[in-house]
């Protein structure tokens, strides 16, 4: 266990030293500033319109809360996308990169098993990715609250489901790193991520157009890659009851980026099991791979 924790710490230090991560952090700070400035201007415009109509400029209620709610939802959607990008880019060479550079031969010559190497790498990079998304999510939600006075109904549950998606992407990237070269691994994981997003769109179209075939295809894609299903579950926890009621009346397919229904527990369980299976397969595969 000490070997695993040591490798996790080394992986954490390695991820933080990468210039790619530094660039992504700088761009993330720019994104937060840009997005929250937009929210600030939105709040000013809403306050001006409320004053012109002789209404209170306090926290929004009912229909008046819609712009702020959607600003928060789509802000968190972008956080999820950035977190997914971070998870792939930081982890894509977790094993294959060391093999290609020759570093792995010196690592496994020490009293550490190959399975411990994979587990330690996964723990380290997962810690970086989870911490990144947690901090950006907290910054965006806090900024939204300070500017508008609006706090999503259940930000903890929403963030937890987003973090599960990040853990799954990290696990699959580590698995791919034991199977493919670095570039091929990155492409494969991004294709899977795209498949999950396409599945959500297909399911939404099928629901809106009453097409069982489209819904079936969407469900199949969500099973293969449940990252989009986790986001839809998170989006439910970010919307007020008034927004959800209108979304249900219009139809779930009207907006494929949000959901008016809570996530099914089976999806959460499957995503957690999927991530565990990916890590276990990575440990097994690397233990039997020729270097």
């Amino acid at each position: 266990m000490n070997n695993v924790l040591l490798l996790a710490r080394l992986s954490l230090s390695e991820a933080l030293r990468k210039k790619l991560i530094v660039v992504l952090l700088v761009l993330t700070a720019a994104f937060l500033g840009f997005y929250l400035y937009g929210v600030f201007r939105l709040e000013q415009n809403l306050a001006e319109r409320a004053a012109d109509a002789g209404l209170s400029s306090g926290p929004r209620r009912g229909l008046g809360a819609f712009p702020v709610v959607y600003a928060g939802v789509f802000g968190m959607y972008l956080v999820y996308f950035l977190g997914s990008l971070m998870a792939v880019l930081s982890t894509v060479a977790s094993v294959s990169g060391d093999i290609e550079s020759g570093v792995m031969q010196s690592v496994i010559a020490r009293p550490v098993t190959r399975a411990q190497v994979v587990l330690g790498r996964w723990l380290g990079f997962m810690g970086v990715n989870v911490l990144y998304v947690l901090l950006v999510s907290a910054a965006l939600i806090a900024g939204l609250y300070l500017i508008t006075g609006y706090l999503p109904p259940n930000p903890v549950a929403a963030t937890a489901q987003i973090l599960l998606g990040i853990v799954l992407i990290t696990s699959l990237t580590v698995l791919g790193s034991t199977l493919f070269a670095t570039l091929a691994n990155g492409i494969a994981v991004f294709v899977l991520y795209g498949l999950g997003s396409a599945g959500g769109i297909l399911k939404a179209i099928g629901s809106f157009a009453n097409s069982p075939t489209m819904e079936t295809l969407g469900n199949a894609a969500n099973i293969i890659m449940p990252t989009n299903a986790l986001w839809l579950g998170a989006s439910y926890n970010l919307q007020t009851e008034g927004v959800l009621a209108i979304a249900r009346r219009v139809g779930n397919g009207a907006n494929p980026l949000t959901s008016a229904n809570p996530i099914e527990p089976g999806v959460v369980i499957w995503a957690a099991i999927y991530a565990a299976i990916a890590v276990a397969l990575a440990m097994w595969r690397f233990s039997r791979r020729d270097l």
Side-chain angles (χ1 to χ4, degrees), residues 187-239:
I187 294 172
V189 177
F190 274 122
V191 168
L192 277 176
Y193 182 82
L195 176 64
S197 299
I201 295 173
L202 288 174
K203 187 174 179 180
I205 294 174
S207 175
F208 191 69
N210 193 24
S211 172
T213 301
M214 296 285 277
E215 288 193 72
T216 301
L217 290 173
N219 288 329
N222 284 334
I223 292 173
I224 296 172
M225 190 61 170
T227 48
N228 188 74
L230 290 170
W231 158 250
L232 293 177
S235 71
Y236 170 82
N237 291 291
L238 296 170
Q239 301 173 76

Side-chain angles (χ1 to χ4, degrees), residues 85-105:
L85 188 66
M86 169 83 165
V88 176
L89 295 179
S90 66
T91 317
V92 66
S94 56
V95 177
S96 60
D98 288 345
I99 295 175
E100 294 163 3
S101 65
V103 173
M104 187 60 71
Q105 282 78 359

Side-chain angles (χ1 to χ4, degrees), residues 77-156:
Y77 178 79
L78 293 175
V79 169
Y80 188 34
F81 175 76
L82 288 173
S84 301
L85 188 66
M86 169 83 165
V88 176
L89 295 179
S90 66
T91 317
V92 66
S94 56
V95 177
S96 60
D98 288 345
I99 295 175
E100 294 163 3
S101 65
V103 173
M104 187 60 71
Q105 282 78 359
S106 62
V107 172
I108 62 176
R110 302 175 185 277
V112 56
T113 66
R114 293 191 182 190
Q116 288 177 328
V117 171
V118 173
L119 184 59
R121 299 296 256 169
W122 174 75
L123 281 174
F125 286 113
M126 183 192 66
V128 171
N129 298 330
V130 166
L131 181 62
Y132 169 80
V133 174
L134 193 60
L135 291 176
V136 178
S137 299
L140 189 139
I141 292 173
L144 184 70
Y145 177 74
L146 291 174
I147 294 171
T148 67
Y150 168 76
L151 187 67
N154 202 341
V156 175

